[in-house]
Amino acid sequence: MTGALGDVAAMIHRHFLHLRRTPTRVLGVTLTPVTMVLVLGYMLNKVITVRGNGDYLDYMMAGVGAQVALACVGGIAIGTATSLRNGLIDRFRSLPTARASILVAHTVSDLVLAAIGMAIATAVGVLLGWRPHASAAAVLAGFAVLLAFAYVMLWLGVLLGLTVRSPEALGALAGLILVGGSFLSNAFVPLDGLPDWLRTLAEWSPISAVVATCRELWSGPVSFVDGSFPETHPMTTAVIMLSVIAAITVPLSIRAYRTAGT
């Protein structure tokens, strides 16, 4: 157990050194969310209305955090596929280390990147006037939910990188996940006015459950759909959905890593 933890720590240190040498990686997970804060939260804040005449900036900030998590999928997927293509993963697998530790270190180090991205996007929101109407513990709990979502999404990115393997295809897929996931949910658009079939699809999205949980913790505006279990029990829905996704992606990623290149 101690040896595995040492392997993870060593690999995390390597990833941090790489991040320090390429700080522009932060842009990959913050550029779109920060742009959304500036465009929607500042320029269109008074144009878009939410239930109860709530402030749209308050409504969208949880969605911005979820979007940072979605932006991480493409980065780790392309990085994994590139490492597989240039032989770096083969060199890692030749080392006397637990194979799962390499993937754990990769996801943990990128989770720190996600945390940095969320901090930057949140700082921009605060500068524009966003204030969570909840206790410090509830605010921290909301960010913990977002980080848990980010970590699950990172494992999804690892799995995509090990199975798709084409950086070009992964780039297109990452854009689809970022845009489609952001807008096919309650991240930025209240669900009340959507057509029934689209509303049902959006309200059962794990992104919607995560975002609704954060809004509930932060006492922000919500987008209720009458009789919708995910909207009335967002935390329960988020825990179940994220647990299921993790239970699928983590073992499949480890298996794909073991067989990669064989």
Side-chain angles (χ1 to χ4, degrees), residues 18 26-27 29 43 48 50 66 69-70 99 104 106 130 134 146 153 167 193 202 210 216:
H18 185 259
V26 177
L27 290 177
V29 299
M43 296 177 63
I48 304 175
V50 296
L70 292 174
R99 296 194 172 181
V104 170
H106 197 176
W130 175 66
L146 289 173
M153 290 297 98
V210 168
E216 186 176 85

Coordinates of all heavy atoms in Angstrom, one line a residue, residues 18 26-27 29 43 48 50 66 69-70 99 104 106 130 134 146 153 167 193 202 210 216:
H18 N 5.3 19.4 -15.0 CA 4.9 19.6 -16.4 C 3.9 20.8 -16.5 O 4.0 21.7 -17.4 CB 4.2 18.4 -17.0 CG 3.9 18.5 -18.5 ND1 2.6 18.8 -18.9 CD2 4.7 18.4 -19.6 CE1 2.6 18.9 -20.2 NE2 3.8 18.6 -20.7
V26 N -3.8 26.0 -18.3 CA -4.9 26.5 -17.5 C -6.0 27.2 -18.4 O -7.2 27.1 -18.1 CB -4.4 27.5 -16.4 CG1 -5.6 28.1 -15.6 CG2 -3.4 26.8 -15.5
L27 N -5.5 27.8 -19.5 CA -6.4 28.4 -20.4 C -7.4 27.4 -21.0 O -8.5 27.8 -21.3 CB -5.6 29.1 -21.5 CG -4.8 30.3 -21.2 CD1 -4.0 30.8 -22.4 CD2 -5.7 31.4 -20.6
V29 N -9.0 25.0 -19.7 CA -10.1 24.7 -18.8 C -10.8 26.0 -18.3 O -11.8 25.9 -17.6 CB -9.7 23.8 -17.6 CG1 -9.2 22.5 -18.1 CG2 -8.7 24.5 -16.7
M43 N -22.9 40.8 -19.8 CA -23.5 41.5 -20.9 C -25.0 41.2 -21.0 O -25.9 42.1 -21.4 CB -22.8 41.1 -22.2 CG -21.4 41.6 -22.3 SD -20.5 41.0 -23.8 CE -21.5 41.9 -25.1
I48 N -31.7 37.8 -19.6 CA -32.2 36.5 -19.4 C -32.9 36.4 -18.0 O -32.3 36.9 -17.0 CB -31.0 35.5 -19.4 CG1 -30.3 35.5 -20.8 CG2 -31.5 34.0 -19.2 CD1 -29.1 34.7 -20.9
V50 N -34.9 34.2 -14.9 CA -35.1 32.9 -14.2 C -36.3 33.0 -13.3 O -36.8 34.1 -13.0 CB -33.9 32.5 -13.5 CG1 -32.7 32.3 -14.4 CG2 -33.5 33.5 -12.4
A66 N -19.5 23.6 -13.5 CA -19.7 22.3 -14.2 C -19.0 22.4 -15.5 O -18.5 21.4 -16.0 CB -21.2 22.0 -14.3
A69 N -15.4 21.6 -15.4 CA -15.2 20.1 -15.3 C -15.3 19.5 -16.6 O -14.5 18.6 -17.0 CB -16.2 19.5 -14.3
L70 N -16.3 19.9 -17.4 CA -16.5 19.4 -18.8 C -15.3 19.7 -19.7 O -14.9 18.9 -20.5 CB -17.7 19.9 -19.4 CG -19.1 19.4 -18.8 CD1 -20.2 20.1 -19.4 CD2 -19.2 17.9 -18.9
R99 N 0.0 -0.3 -12.0 CA -0.5 0.4 -13.2 C -1.6 1.3 -12.9 O -1.7 2.4 -13.6 CB -0.9 -0.7 -14.2 CG 0.2 -1.5 -14.7 CD -0.1 -2.4 -15.9 NE 1.2 -3.0 -16.4 CZ 1.2 -3.8 -17.4 NH1 0.1 -4.0 -18.1 NH2 2.4 -4.3 -17.8
V104 N -4.4 7.1 -11.6 CA -4.8 7.9 -10.5 C -4.0 9.2 -10.4 O -4.6 10.3 -10.1 CB -4.6 7.0 -9.2 CG1 -4.9 7.9 -7.9 CG2 -5.6 5.9 -9.2
H106 N -2.5 10.8 -12.8 CA -2.9 11.6 -13.9 C -4.2 12.4 -13.6 O -4.3 13.6 -13.8 CB -3.1 10.8 -15.1 CG -3.0 11.6 -16.4 ND1 -3.1 11.0 -17.7 CD2 -3.0 12.9 -16.6 CE1 -3.1 12.0 -18.6 NE2 -3.0 13.2 -18.0
W130 N -21.2 38.4 -8.2 CA -21.8 37.2 -7.6 C -21.4 37.0 -6.2 O -20.3 37.2 -5.8 CB -21.3 36.0 -8.4 CG -21.8 34.7 -7.9 CD1 -23.1 34.3 -7.8 CD2 -21.0 33.7 -7.2 NE1 -23.2 33.1 -7.2 CE2 -22.0 32.6 -6.8 CE3 -19.7 33.5 -6.9 CZ2 -21.6 31.5 -6.2 CZ3 -19.3 32.3 -6.3 CH2 -20.2 31.3 -5.9
A134 N -25.3 31.8 1.2 CA -25.3 30.6 2.1 C -24.1 30.7 3.0 O -23.3 31.6 2.9 CB -25.2 29.4 1.2
L146 N -18.8 20.0 -7.2 CA -18.2 20.3 -8.5 C -16.9 19.6 -8.7 O -16.6 19.1 -9.8 CB -18.0 21.8 -8.7 CG -19.3 22.7 -8.8 CD1 -19.0 24.1 -8.8 CD2 -20.1 22.3 -10.0
M153 N -15.5 13.1 -14.4 CA -15.3 13.4 -15.8 C -13.9 13.2 -16.3 O -13.7 12.8 -17.5 CB -15.7 14.9 -16.0 CG -17.2 15.2 -15.9 SD -18.2 14.4 -17.1 CE -18.8 13.0 -16.2
P167 N -6.1 12.0 -31.5 CA -6.2 13.4 -30.9 C -7.2 14.3 -31.7 O -7.9 15.1 -31.1 CB -4.8 13.9 -31.0 CG -3.9 12.7 -31.0 CD -4.7 11.7 -31.8
G193 N -39.3 26.3 -20.0 CA -39.9 26.5 -21.2 C -39.5 25.6 -22.4 O -39.9 25.8 -23.5
A202 N -32.9 16.8 -20.6 CA -32.0 17.7 -19.8 C -32.1 17.6 -18.3 O -31.1 17.6 -17.7 CB -32.4 19.2 -20.2
V210 N -25.9 17.9 -10.8 CA -24.8 18.5 -10.1 C -25.0 20.0 -9.9 O -24.8 20.6 -8.8 CB -23.5 18.2 -10.8 CG1 -22.3 19.1 -10.3 CG2 -23.1 16.8 -10.7
E216 N -28.8 24.6 -4.8 CA -29.5 24.3 -3.5 C -28.6 24.7 -2.4 O -29.1 25.3 -1.4 CB -30.0 22.9 -3.5 CG -30.8 22.5 -2.3 CD -31.3 21.1 -2.4 OE1 -30.6 20.2 -1.9 OE2 -32.4 20.9 -2.9

